[in-house]
Amino acid sequence: MKLDFEFLGRLFYRTFVLPFGKLAVMALSILFATSSVSGQTLGQALNATNLTWTTPFPNQWGFTTIPSQTHDGGSAARSGNPPPSQSSILQTTVTGPGKITFWWNVSDFASGNLSFTVNGLEQTNFFQWGTWRQETIFFSSGSQTLRWIFTGSGVGYVDEVNYSAGSFSPQMTYQPLSQSQVPGLDTMIVTVAQGTPPLSYQWQFNGTTIAGATNSFVVITNTQQTNLGNYQVVVTNSAGSITSSISSLEFGQVAAWGQLDLVGRATATKGMTNIIGIAAGATHNLVVNSSGIVVGWGMNNDGELTLPISLTNAVSVAADFRGSLALFSDEQTFAWGINSAGLNSISNTPSGLSNLVSIAVGGFHALALRSDGKVFAWGGNNLGQTNVPANLSNVVAIAAGFQHSLAVKSDGTVVAWGDGGYGQTNVPVSLTNVVGVAGGLLHSVAILGDGSVRAWGYNAYGQTNVPTTLTNAVAIDAGWHFNVGLKADGTVVAWGLNYVGQTNVPTKLTNVVAVSAAFNHSLALVGSGPPITASLMSEPTFFSNTFRVKVPSQSGRVYRLEYKSSLADTNWTALPLVAGNGANLVLTDATAFGSQRFYRVRRW
């Protein structure tokens, strides 16, 4: 019998009910519980007919010949679509020692999990949908039961399986990364090696063995000058040994914490000195230094680290899911990185944007604030996140959540638009005196002029429960399900989801002047002292009806010079917004025609 089903399943009934409970249709579908359809077998789909494959009933694995669902363009194994609390299992057994190599993937926007186990112990799992990934797993001697297990919604795929018997000497899968660290904080250097188990490790510092450093990672506690230098590890097994490349450690100004992975998103790369601005993305980071040069590190799956031009004269950066954005001293912006899922890319920056003073990036969209208080938005708009309200004006600060947007007006009120499915755009009616906002995955946060913090929206992980310890706040940012707040004394408070340490702020972290949070990690920029909360204007000058004054500025902040003719006047006249550049900022009033004026500078 020839059946053109894409995948195998089980007998099931489906009923459809019309209003008033009347049964309208009962449909019966039969999907044969067999591993052979249209002459194809699981072994053929997996390119491994030398292995015996089984797939327990129900929720059986079958095969697909749709090119986009295969790695080799021919056919691939495809999981069943199990109901909640059930799994779809693909299984084979081999005799070690040996290694198995395979490619796997999950369907776009799948919320399920595809894992690989050996004798019941998970070895790895698939964490990024839409991109085929190759895995190689090594085994010791004896019988090894291999399972690919898919749970949740969506579909998993496996293709091009190859098993090789024998013992294999160690090989470096990920070399240890060179990095910088803030003096006094702990440093962890990680490597990944593969080969026939068991593997043994021995770390060295400047060529000398480190006593007790026999894990796949080494921790340097309370990093000091004497710890700076070169680290490497020797990995050995029964078949041989290999020495890693050198990881150099130096001092820097950026601290990172959260998900510690092999691309270093929760570590700071080398060269982190003279930094004026930071931005954490979902899987990458950006910084800008005092020379206006942008540096990035982490994952680069969609070009988020591939700067298309030589970026100089930048004054601030922004990052999120897979996009990057920079603001330049000439008040123009440039975006790079390609957002997926067929949505508009933030790289398609609208033409004609000028006089910009602030930028923000969400999951698939970007925002920019002009000096006259007007907001621009572009990119993905499936939930209205780029539909800037027509009457929105006098904006002084902006923020982008995953699929929603936020703006602070000069009167201290907040406007929100886009995805509001969990109340993240339902701004509390009593919220006033706001000076800054941040957007997470499904929640929003605001900082008030008195240093207090308010949050609203999705709260499954306590991300809207502001800690009582967070007082005198001067900055705020939101990750996907957590937040970080900066206090006036230069310390950091974090709260919300903490499954990979994203709220575990380093205990010795002080003198922080800026914070940034993303998917599941955070960055902090460390200065020579606590953040500047107030400063005197300096070098006031007046000539040809023009008044000028200097103020110290911070990257990512927005400044405005305001005046009034008499101290008895109720209202201040506001001049255009100006972007902070990390240095002394010159603010100008070119209309100083009166006999006297009183000035003040405001910052958001």
Side-chain angles (χ1 to χ4, degrees), residues 7 12 22 56 60 66 103-104 151 173 184 186 220 237 262 281 292 310 321-322 360 385 433 445 510 523 531-532 553:
F7 62 97
F12 70 95
K22 294 182 178 180
Q60 292 176 290
I66 299 175
W103 289 86
W104 61 349
T151 57
T173 306
D186 295 345
I220 299 96
N237 71 357
L262 301 171
S310 177
F321 190 53
R322 294 183 182 178
Q385 58 266 46
N433 193 29
V445 192
T510 59
L523 301 178
I532 298 175
S553 70

Side-chain angles (χ1 to χ4, degrees), residues 444-597:
S444 301
V445 192
I447 184 171
L448 280 61
D450 62 2
S452 62
V453 173
R454 295 278 300 276
W456 62 97
Y458 189 59
N459 193 39
Y461 305 102
Q463 59 266 51
T464 67
N465 299 334
V466 181
T468 57
T469 55
L470 183 54
T471 57
N472 298 318
V474 295
I476 195 77
D477 204 4
W480 275 30
H481 291 303
F482 73 102
N483 308 294
V484 290
L486 173 61
K487 300 178 65 172
D489 63 1
T491 60
V492 176
V493 176
W495 73 100
L497 181 64
N498 192 36
Y499 76 104
V500 289
Q502 56 265 61
T503 65
N504 294 343
V505 181
T507 55
K508 298 178 183 178
L509 185 61
T510 59
N511 293 332
V512 175
V513 296
V515 291
S516 182
F519 174 47
N520 51 21
H521 76 285
S522 301
L523 301 178
L525 177 59
V526 177
S528 58
I532 298 175
T533 58
S535 62
L536 295 176
M537 296 180 286
S538 64
E539 300 183 29
T541 60
F542 177 78
F543 62 94
S544 301
N545 296 322
T546 298
F547 173 77
R548 290 180 178 175
V549 67
K550 284 185 178 181
V551 293
S553 70
Q554 185 177 351
S555 171
R557 297 281 195 170
V558 174
Y559 297 79
R560 187 169 71 187
L561 185 64
E562 299 179 349
Y563 71 85
K564 57 184 178 180
S565 299
S566 170
L567 291 177
D569 292 343
T570 303
N571 297 320
W572 292 83
T573 299
L575 296 170
L577 300 170
V578 180
N581 59 12
N584 285 330
L585 191 65
V586 177
L587 302 177
T588 302
D589 174 16
T591 65
F593 303 120
S595 57
Q596 67 175 9
R597 281 186 178 177

